[in-house]
Amino acid sequence: MSALETLYGYLPCVKVPRGGEKIYKDECIYCYDTPESEGGLFVCLKSYMGLCHLHVQKFYEKFPENPIYLHLKRTKLEISGAAGGGEAEDPPAKKPTRLAIGVEGGFDVSEEGRYEIQEEIAIVVMPGYESFPYPSIEDTPVQIQLAIEGILKSSGADKQSAVEAWDGEVRQVSKHADKLEQLNNGVKVPPKGWKCSRCDLVENLWMNLTDGSISCGRRYFDGSGGNNHAVDHFRETGFPLAVKLGTITPTGADVYSYDEDDMVEDPHLARHLAHFGINMMSMEKTDKTMTELEIDINQRVGEWATIQESDKQLKPMYGPGYTGMKNMGNSCYLNSVMQVIFTLPDFRKRYFEDYDLILNRAPEEAPSDFTTQMAKVGYGLLSGTFSNPPEEEMAAAAAAPPAKKVQNGITPRMFKTLIGKGHPEFSTNRQQDAQEFFLHLINIIDRHSRGTFNPTVSLKYMAEERIQCVQSGKVRYKQRSDYLLSLPVPVELADNREELVVYETRKREKESKGEKMDPKELVRAKLSLQTCLDSWAEPESIQDFYSSALQARSVANKSTRFATFPNYLMVHLKKFTIGEDWVPKKLDVSMSIPDELDLEHLRGKGIQQGEEELPEGEEPPMGEPAEAEPEIDEETVIQLSEMGFPTEACRKAVYYTSNCGAEAAMDWIMQHMDDPDFAQPLQIQRAPAGQRPEPEGAAAGGPRAPESSSGLSEEALTILEAMGFTRGQAIRGLKATDNNLERAADWLFSHSDELDTMPMDTAEQESLPVQATPQVQDGTGKYKLVAFISHMGTSTMCGHYVCHILKDGRLVIYNDEKVAVSENPPKDLAYLYLYQRIQ
């Protein structure tokens, strides 16, 4: 049979893209092989799934209706002169407007223009890998031609280069820009050859946009820079805006507002420059921008250099468990959390050791299947397949400095897209809080692990809350689940308080003179982890507490202890806070962190002899606000609000999940995001005594499902089972909520910790399978430090994350795709700490 006849036989298995389809032509859906890998990539001409040489056979065997593929093989060849040795010149770079790398408005350090791509294309038919070169086959069926051309022209996955992620604030438009006064004083400024009008400096020069005067900039902490003459000019004249000469290009320039004390944007800059005879379109960059200078400083000194250990040549690591993750533009928070998570044995077992089993069960649309994509990340990080030294370094390893050796690593685009889907923050390309992402990840994994082995149990613990009415002395104990120990950072209790006062005074004095402190003179608050633990354990006063013993408002004290201790404890320091000006900021503290931690003294003991419990089920008297019972845990509301959800929606979520913690509240939010009154204020209808008040509006749960002959909706049971609950759990939820589907889902999520301990009737017992993992694990409260995640930057909205992990008795730093042995691990500056129980 001729090649043409063979291809005609497969036309029913070919689908022509019509636009808008997701075409996975950049990476295998099961691993991180690309068209540049040794075997290339096979793109199914029907489903558009991309498979590597190893997995295309497995995919075909599982889905035999997909036998014909487009085979893409690419080879990268460096262009002569692009690396700096030839005559080719780079085009002028667009001026960065953000202290960011690899994102819109940031520094562009991509490889575009440095390499020539050679591409080989063929049509491959399975199962025998029968190959037909394309387009050399004459009269290739039109349908196949259209399908191939559609795939080749599609954008595919969004590729970004591997970069360091330093993300700063976006510059705001100056309030002076629209109505800036410009004097008609006849001043004309030449395009070059500038000099300070008050001294002989010819660098770091700023031109005032009101009168055209040229002055030198601020004096740097090391004595370099300028003589502060631009600042002096502003103090004398009040003229607010100045442009840095040498940074003016056709795309913009550095503009500083002395009145606003910040770098700003001037949308009318071309007109303002033309007033003094400067043609912006003909100017070239001759000096460093302020963002370039700031990155230089941060990389040399301070928090950035310390946490990244950038002042040392670290020994790179390769192989299983030492695979880096490329930064896709502000994805370092994800990279650090995933590296740490996959050091836990239960996560390795679930997603790496069972990798083949998960792939065998994966649906055809694997990029949309969470378990498959988690397994893909696990395989990528732990197999060692994608952790090899670059080829050029293997050829000359002895000659290259250790710091230059960077592996390729993996680029988890599919996972990032999937884990962020529908989330107001994690679906964006902005920098995020690693702690919030950790909780989001745990919540998603837990939701996809119902009825099967759940690795999050190794991090889960029960917290015991004790509330005591001050006036009656009676107490109430309740337990809630959590995955994170969030500790306050009481800077006011710092060990070096006197030194801090002196430093802050000196800092204010320098700032009043327009000078900046030398970063080497920085004084951080010094605290011990024990101080934070003591603050966490201190009783908290609850004002306006409704005491069921007094049947009146009173004051209560609330304290928290551990009811159980997990195998692994994630400790979170609350470094991020809101300043007096309502701007998010980070507490710059140095922590004394023990390698071993004993928390046994914080174990809860439940109700004690002689204690009397507060009566249950008592309602506030008529006239009391309905919201007073139950109370709303404001900490959980804040935690959810910081993730980007409306505050009122967060209050509802906490209320309708009975203060069961962020996990249950997040489930409620995900179920009700499309409700028309999702962000409306919480409203409660009074209920008869002994019954829970009902919500108003769509958040109440919606219409009831039609009943079957058994009294329960079969359709509702099916939907609840599809959400991950067993049939027995679904039956229980519908019975508890009078056959209301949405209320049943809320009830099940909010009682997820209790489902396996509640009494069951016969029907439920027959349908409820045995849990694959225990609900919580418990043991000694003694731990050892095994990993920590650090953040550089001033707030969660900007900065960079790296992590350090204990491997084979030594700490290893994971800085995106760079993996190396740590020489001076900065555990005192970290944000999240992972402790492992000492058996």
Side-chain angles (χ1 to χ4, degrees):
M1 184 182 295
S2 68
L4 195 58
E5 290 174 325
T6 300
L7 294 179
Y8 267 108
Y10 288 99
L11 288 183
C13 304
V14 175
K15 188 168 69 173
V16 177
R18 299 184 181 278
E21 297 92 343
K22 291 183 179 179
I23 298 176
Y24 298 94
K25 67 173 187 177
D26 297 312
E27 184 177 272
C28 177
I29 61 175
Y30 296 142
C31 73
Y32 293 93
D33 276 343
T34 70
E36 295 174 12
S37 301
E38 184 177 354
L41 198 71
F42 299 79
V43 182
C44 177
L45 293 185
K46 184 178 181 181
S47 66
Y48 309 131
M49 296 294 117
L51 293 308
C52 66
H53 192 273
L54 176 66
H55 290 118
V56 67
Q57 180 71 32
K58 183 187 292 287
F59 184 81
Y60 167 72
E61 290 172 356
K62 189 173 181 182
F63 306 106
E65 66 274 17
N66 298 309
I68 184 167
Y69 298 82
L70 171 66
H71 185 210
L72 299 173
K73 180 73 174 74
R74 296 195 191 111
T75 305
K76 251 189 347 184
L77 300 175
E78 189 168 354
I79 299 174
S80 176
E87 298 180 357
E89 294 185 2
D90 294 330
K94 184 177 179 181
K95 183 183 77 71
T97 57
R98 303 180 67 186
L99 197 55
I101 302 177
V103 295
E104 181 66 27
F107 290 91
D108 179 14
V109 291
S110 68
E111 296 179 343
E112 185 177 351
R114 291 182 55 197
Y115 293 95
E116 177 185 346
I117 304 296
Q118 286 187 353
E119 191 169 55
E120 302 171 37
I121 303 173
I123 302 167
V124 172
V125 175
M126 298 298 291
Y129 290 94
E130 188 175 3
S131 182
F132 306 94
Y134 180 85
S136 61
I137 301 175
E138 293 184 7
D139 299 324
T140 301
V142 174
Q143 186 173 340
I144 293 180
Q145 289 186 47
L146 292 174
I148 291 175
E149 294 304 318
I151 291 173
L152 294 177
K153 290 177 182 178
S154 69
S155 60
D158 209 7
K159 276 193 171 181
Q160 291 183 327
S161 301
V163 290
E164 292 178 333
W166 173 270
D167 182 26
E169 313 284 349
V170 178
R171 294 181 184 172
Q172 303 298 318
V173 173
S174 171
K175 65 182 181 181
H176 301 289
D178 287 343
K179 298 181 180 179
L180 181 70
E181 179 187 7
Q182 291 194 285
L183 304 182
N184 293 315
N185 54 10
V187 172
K188 296 299 177 184
V189 177
K192 57 184 178 180
W194 312 294
K195 187 170 83 75
C196 177
S197 60
R198 303 190 184 195
C199 67
D200 294 329
L201 290 181
V202 293
E203 293 181 345
N204 189 21
L205 300 176
W206 296 78
M207 184 189 80
N208 191 284
L209 290 174
T210 295
D211 63 3
S213 65
I214 297 176
S215 310
C216 59
R218 298 177 191 265
R219 181 181 293 108
Y220 299 149
F221 58 84
D222 58 359
S224 64
N227 293 317
N228 292 334
H229 288 150
V231 179
D232 293 342
H233 184 72
F234 163 70
R235 289 178 179 153
E236 295 166 5
T237 64
F239 299 156
L241 299 186
V243 61
K244 186 175 185 183
L245 298 172
T247 68
I248 304 171
T249 69
T251 60
D254 274 357
V255 178
Y256 192 84
S257 171
Y258 291 100
D259 178 50
E260 296 161 279
D261 194 24
D262 205 355
M263 300 298 297
V264 295
E265 285 293 305
D266 178 4
H268 314 296
L269 182 60
R271 172 163 52 86
H272 291 157
L273 290 172
H275 181 84
F276 298 107
I278 296 178
N279 181 358
M280 182 172 167
M281 300 308 294
S282 65
M283 298 296 288
E284 295 182 358
K285 181 176 178 291
T286 60
D287 201 355
K288 284 188 176 182
T289 65
M290 296 307 292
T291 44
E292 289 171 325
L293 287 171
E294 188 168 348
I295 282 189
D296 285 347
I297 293 171
N298 277 292
Q299 287 177 332
R300 291 198 308 270
V301 297
E303 183 182 54
W304 177 280
T306 302
I307 290 178
Q308 291 195 116
E309 302 183 65
S310 57
D311 57 339
K312 295 182 173 60
Q313 289 190 346
L314 305 180
K315 178 185 176 183
M317 299 294 292
Y318 306 103
Y322 297 103
T323 305
M325 301 176 76
K326 292 187 178 182
N327 197 303
M328 298 167 285
N330 287 336
S331 64
C332 52
Y333 68 92
L334 179 149
N335 294 350
S336 296
V337 170
M338 298 307 293
Q339 291 283 12
V340 170
I341 280 292
F342 273 105
T343 63
L344 275 62
D346 284 359
F347 285 82
R348 297 166 72 105
K349 179 181 185 301
R350 174 73 178 99
Y351 297 111
F352 177 59
E353 295 176 17
D354 291 344
Y355 175 70
D356 289 333
L357 179 63
I358 290 173
L359 261 55
N360 288 336
R361 296 176 176 175
E364 186 175 0
E365 282 280 343
S368 300
D369 183 70
F370 178 78
T371 302
T372 302
Q373 292 308 307
M374 276 292 291
K376 175 178 173 178
V377 174
Y379 177 78
L381 293 178
L382 302 175
S383 68
T385 304
F386 308 97
S387 180
N388 299 305
E391 293 180 7
E392 60 270 21
E393 290 171 5
M394 294 177 67
K404 299 292 184 182
K405 300 178 182 179
V406 179
Q407 57 178 269
N408 288 328
I410 64 174
T411 309
R413 292 188 191 93
M414 290 184 194
F415 177 76
K416 185 177 185 295
T417 299
L418 187 59
I419 191 72
K421 186 177 181 180
H423 193 281
E425 289 298 328
F426 301 129
S427 60
T428 71
N429 203 38
R430 295 191 292 268
Q431 183 62 282
Q432 303 299 335
D433 188 339
Q435 173 254 343
E436 292 177 4
F437 177 74
F438 168 77
L439 290 177
H440 177 67
L441 175 68
I442 293 298
N443 180 61
I444 299 297
I445 293 174
D446 184 63
R447 193 185 308 168
H448 285 84
S449 299
R450 300 188 187 279
T452 186
F453 180 77
N454 189 343
T456 67
V457 170
S458 61
L459 290 157
K460 187 177 184 179
Y461 69 93
M462 301 302 295
E464 176 188 281
E465 292 183 348
R466 178 183 184 271
I467 298 176
Q468 182 175 33
C469 172
V470 172
Q471 189 170 342
S472 69
K474 296 184 179 181
V475 299
R476 175 177 298 149
Y477 286 85
K478 64 179 181 178
Q479 292 188 358
R480 58 173 174 81
S481 65
D482 214 330
Y483 295 93
L484 194 74
L485 176 61
S486 289
L487 300 179
V489 182
V491 179
E492 66 277 6
L493 300 179
D495 298 333
N496 59 337
R497 291 188 290 276
E498 293 182 2
E499 189 181 5
L500 279 171
V501 171
V502 173
Y503 170 76
E504 290 297 333
T505 302
R506 191 165 66 249
K507 182 180 176 182
R508 284 193 295 270
E509 290 175 354
K510 284 208 169 190
E511 288 177 345
S512 66
K513 299 176 183 177
E515 300 176 359
K516 292 189 176 182
M517 292 288 290
D518 181 345
K520 294 179 181 178
E521 297 179 19
L522 173 67
V523 176
R524 291 190 173 95
K526 294 181 179 179
L527 286 160
S528 69
L529 186 63
Q530 188 59 54
T531 301
C532 298
L533 284 165
D534 292 343
S535 295
W536 173 82
E538 279 290 311
E540 170 192 357
S541 179
I542 303 176
Q543 303 296 319
D544 203 30
F545 170 76
Y546 179 78
S547 171
S548 56
L550 304 174
Q551 295 194 17
R553 294 286 171 187
S554 179
V555 177
N557 289 327
K558 174 185 172 183
S559 59
T560 306
R561 294 292 185 271
F562 288 93
T564 65
F565 286 109
N567 285 353
Y568 287 84
L569 178 66
M570 185 69 83
V571 178
H572 163 232
L573 297 182
K574 295 181 178 179
K575 287 187 173 184
F576 296 108
T577 183
I578 302 295
E580 295 179 358
D581 54 358
W582 297 99
V583 175
K585 68 174 185 177
K586 187 173 81 171
L587 301 176
D588 195 359
V589 297
S590 175
M591 301 294 303
S592 175
I593 302 294
D595 290 327
E596 294 191 0
L597 191 62
D598 189 347
L599 301 176
E600 275 294 336
H601 66 288
L602 294 175
R603 186 185 288 274
K605 299 177 181 178
I607 191 163
Q608 299 295 294
Q609 186 175 1
E611 289 184 333
E612 187 176 349
E613 289 190 88
L614 284 164
E616 293 288 347
E618 297 285 344
E619 287 287 326
M622 294 300 293
E624 290 284 351
E627 293 86 350
E629 183 66 33
E631 297 170 8
I632 294 176
D633 186 349
E634 292 299 334
E635 272 197 28
T636 305
V637 172
I638 293 171
Q639 186 176 331
L640 294 170
S641 298
E642 289 175 346
M643 296 183 189
F645 299 109
T647 301
E648 290 300 333
C650 298
R651 290 180 59 81
K652 287 182 184 177
V654 173
Y655 178 83
Y656 291 120
T657 54
S658 303
N659 289 319
C660 287
E663 176 192 4
M666 175 65 79
D667 284 329
W668 188 95
I669 286 174
M670 301 308 288
Q671 293 294 319
H672 291 277
M673 286 183 69
D674 295 329
D675 291 351
D677 60 348
F678 177 66
Q680 296 301 313
L682 174 66
Q683 296 180 357
I684 306 298
Q685 293 178 334
R686 298 295 292 169
Q691 293 185 22
R692 182 172 179 78
E694 293 287 346
E696 292 182 349
R704 297 180 180 176
E707 296 183 357
S708 64
S709 56
S710 64
L712 296 177
S713 165
E714 189 63 36
E715 179 185 1
L717 288 170
T718 302
I719 292 174
L720 291 172
E721 287 181 82
M723 293 169 65
F725 298 105
T726 65
R727 189 170 185 83
Q729 292 167 346
I731 290 173
R732 192 181 312 167
L734 288 171
K735 284 183 175 180
T737 55
D738 196 21
N739 202 27
N740 186 302
L741 172 58
E742 294 192 27
R743 286 181 55 212
D746 288 341
W747 188 92
L748 287 167
F749 281 122
S750 62
H751 291 81
S752 59
D753 292 336
E754 310 157 25
L755 291 176
D756 296 323
T757 58
M758 290 181 177
M760 294 178 287
D761 59 29
T762 304
E764 292 172 9
Q765 289 176 350
E766 291 175 353
S767 60
L768 188 65
V770 179
Q771 271 298 95
T773 50
Q775 197 168 8
V776 291
Q777 297 165 338
D778 195 13
T780 176
K782 296 182 178 180
Y783 291 91
K784 65 177 181 180
L785 182 66
V786 293
F788 53 90
I789 297 174
S790 306
H791 173 268
M792 293 151 280
T794 56
S795 77
T796 57
M797 298 184 297
C798 64
H800 182 56
Y801 286 95
V802 303
C803 66
H804 288 72
I805 302 173
L806 188 66
K807 294 279 185 80
D808 299 323
R810 60 189 176 185
L811 280 167
V812 177
I813 180 173
Y814 293 77
N815 183 1
D816 290 335
E817 71 269 34
K818 295 182 284 292
V819 181
V821 178
S822 174
E823 291 188 7
N824 189 23
K827 65 178 184 179
D828 61 313
L829 299 178
Y831 177 47
L832 295 168
Y833 297 88
L834 181 67
Y835 280 88
Q836 178 185 3
R837 191 205 319 278
I838 300 175
Q839 301 297 334

